[in-house]
Every structure is written in structure tokens, then in C-alpha cells.
Amino acid sequence: MSGLSRVIGKARSGGEEAGAHWLSISDLMAGLMMVFLFIAIALMMNANRERDYANIERDKIKKVAVAYQQNQVDIFNALMREFEKDLARWDADIDRETLSFEFKSPEVLFEQGDTQIKPLFQEILNDFFPRYIQTLRQFKESVNEIRVEGHTSSEWNQGISETDAYFQNMQLSQGRTRSVLSYVYELPEVESDRSWIKKSFAAVGFSSAHIKLLEDTDEEDKAASRRVTFRVITNAETQIRKIIEED
């Protein structure tokens, strides 16, 4: 008996029984067709599930991006509404992307090489900081940290190495931010917010790590490099995690 006959059986001879052999083959082919059909359906269902999952993840990512961007915009707009008329007279800017409120006049801020706040900057802080706190109070849930950042130029006394100049300026910038934070913390107008200030504010000295350059050059703008900023750091990571973990 051939191999094929052993698999599908030997054909019977004569009459209607002669077609029994071919009927077995047709039944086998029909069974295989059903198997292939079930496999195709399963693959289609799996593809649909993967597509639905991809759509869900895409929607979550979009939601994260929209929420983050809207939060940034809302904080920036609130700061601009409060301080837009003051920026020119304070020689200050608000950066939309980093939410940095930057005081840019070094001659107003500190004496060269000193950490003591000059009287004019004290007057500015007296006006600025209580309003700044009041503006940000409505965004407490989305604010992770507010940094008082000190920046210096890269120069120091002649004859000192570049490395020594960097660390001397680090000490200077840190001393200045501590002076600023200590000063605004003691303002009577923010007494009720001191627990939040202690929890959320940080004084950070960057030395000459983020110098400013003269326009269209690689040369340092030493005056512009000497500045103090108040920067809002949102808790974007926390908000992203909440959105991703939503059912």
C-alpha cells in the first residue's frame, strides 16, 4: 500500500463507493480551510487589539503633551499679566519655555565680587516677591520646585587659573542666591507662605556654567552673564505618571 493510501485509506471499487476516497480528501481540505480561517480570525483580532492599544497609548501621550504645554502656558500668562508693566523698569524678562524670571542688570544686583544685595535690588524684591508668590499660589499642585538661580561671568582676578575661577565664581553665585532667598523669606508680606517657601524653594549657584554670548558671536557677554533668576520647575514627571497609569 502506498504512503498516500495509508494516510487517506484505500479507495473502494464500484458504484457510489468509488467516490468515498475523494470525499475523504474534500473533508480534509474543508477541515484545513476551517483551521486557516480560525488562524486568520485570531490574527485579525490580535492586530485589532494591538491597534487599539497603540491608539490608547498615542492618546495618553497626546494628553500628556497637551497638559504639560497648557500648564506651562498658564503659568507664563499669569506671570505676564502680573508683571508685564514692570519688566522694562526692572530690566527683567520672563522666558516662556523655562518659566525663568530673570533680573539682568548686574549693577543693580550686587557689587562686583560681593554677596550683599544692593539697596535698589532690595526695593525691587520688596515689590516683586510677594506678588510672585501670590501669582504662583494658584499653581501649587503643579509646581515641584522654584529655584533662585545665581549666574556669574567666567572672569575672576588676573593670574588665577580657569578652574580656580570657576569654583570661586561658584562660591560667589551660591552666596548671592542664599542672600536673595534669605531676604525674601523674611519679608513680612510672605509670612503665611514660609512653610511653602521652605518646602519648595532652593538657592542654586551655577557659577559660569550658563554664560551669555554677544549676539551672533562666540564671545561672552560678561555683563549679561551676571544675573539672578527665579525659575519655576513644574512636576511634569508626576503628572505624566498619573496620566499613564489611568485606566
Side-chain angles (χ1 to χ4, degrees):
M1 182 181 293
S2 68
L4 181 60
S5 297
R6 285 195 299 270
V7 174
I8 63 176
K10 186 177 179 180
R12 300 177 183 179
S13 60
E16 294 180 356
E17 293 181 355
H21 169 69
W22 303 110
L23 182 59
S24 298
I25 293 179
S26 66
D27 290 343
L28 177 61
M29 294 302 294
L32 289 174
M33 289 291 291
M34 291 299 294
V35 171
F36 291 143
L37 178 61
F38 287 138
I39 293 174
I41 292 173
L43 290 173
M44 290 175 62
M45 292 177 65
N46 186 60
N48 288 336
R49 283 195 297 269
E50 290 182 353
R51 184 176 66 248
D52 292 342
Y53 178 77
N55 289 338
I56 292 172
E57 291 304 304
R58 181 196 62 200
D59 291 343
K60 284 185 177 181
I61 292 171
K62 182 178 179 181
K63 187 176 180 181
V64 168
V66 170
Y68 173 75
Q69 181 63 29
Q70 189 58 51
N71 191 48
Q72 293 281 113
V73 170
D74 289 345
I75 294 175
F76 173 78
N77 288 340
L79 290 172
M80 286 299 296
R81 283 194 300 270
E82 180 64 33
F83 294 109
E84 186 173 14
K85 296 179 180 179
D86 303 300
L87 296 178
R89 66 188 180 94
W90 290 346
D91 193 18
D93 276 331
I94 306 173
D95 188 274
R96 179 187 295 269
E97 300 301 322
T98 63
L99 299 180
S100 295
F101 197 113
E102 182 176 296
F103 294 97
K104 303 185 296 180
S105 293
E107 68 277 5
V108 172
L109 307 177
F110 304 92
E111 294 290 351
Q112 189 168 353
D114 195 4
T115 62
Q116 181 66 39
I117 302 171
K118 296 179 76 171
L120 183 54
F121 192 33
Q122 289 181 359
E123 292 180 14
I124 293 173
L125 291 173
N126 292 344
D127 185 7
F128 160 75
F129 193 71
R131 294 162 58 194
Y132 185 70
I133 285 288
Q134 182 177 1
T135 302
L136 294 180
R137 192 180 291 135
Q138 60 187 303
F139 301 102
K140 271 188 177 183
E141 295 302 317
S142 60
V143 172
N144 186 57
E145 184 179 65
I146 302 170
R147 294 179 185 170
V148 184
E149 299 178 342
H151 303 268
T152 70
S153 68
S154 61
E155 69 178 355
W156 196 259
N157 296 332
Q158 291 185 349
I160 193 172
S161 70
E162 182 177 332
T163 299
D164 287 341
Y166 171 78
F167 283 105
Q168 293 281 10
N169 278 314
M170 177 68 74
Q171 183 177 0
L172 177 63
S173 62
Q174 290 174 339
R176 287 175 170 175
T177 56
R178 285 197 302 270
S179 293
V180 171
L181 185 52
S182 175
Y183 182 82
V184 297
Y185 179 83
E186 295 294 340
L187 291 175
E189 295 87 345
V190 300
E191 182 177 1
S192 62
D193 292 294
R194 284 175 184 165
S195 60
W196 182 43
I197 294 173
K198 286 191 292 186
K199 179 180 178 181
S200 301
F201 276 70
V204 182
F206 281 104
S207 184
S208 56
H210 303 293
I211 60 172
K212 297 279 190 177
L213 300 178
L214 294 170
E215 189 174 358
D216 298 326
T217 72
D218 293 328
E219 184 179 349
E220 180 183 358
D221 185 336
K222 294 179 180 179
S225 294
R226 304 182 185 107
R227 63 199 189 278
V228 170
T229 66
F230 286 75
R231 182 183 177 189
V232 177
I233 310 295
T234 61
N235 57 357
E237 291 183 3
T238 302
Q239 300 304 319
I240 288 171
R241 191 178 301 110
K242 285 182 181 178
I243 292 173
I244 290 176
E245 291 176 353
E246 287 178 355
D247 293 333

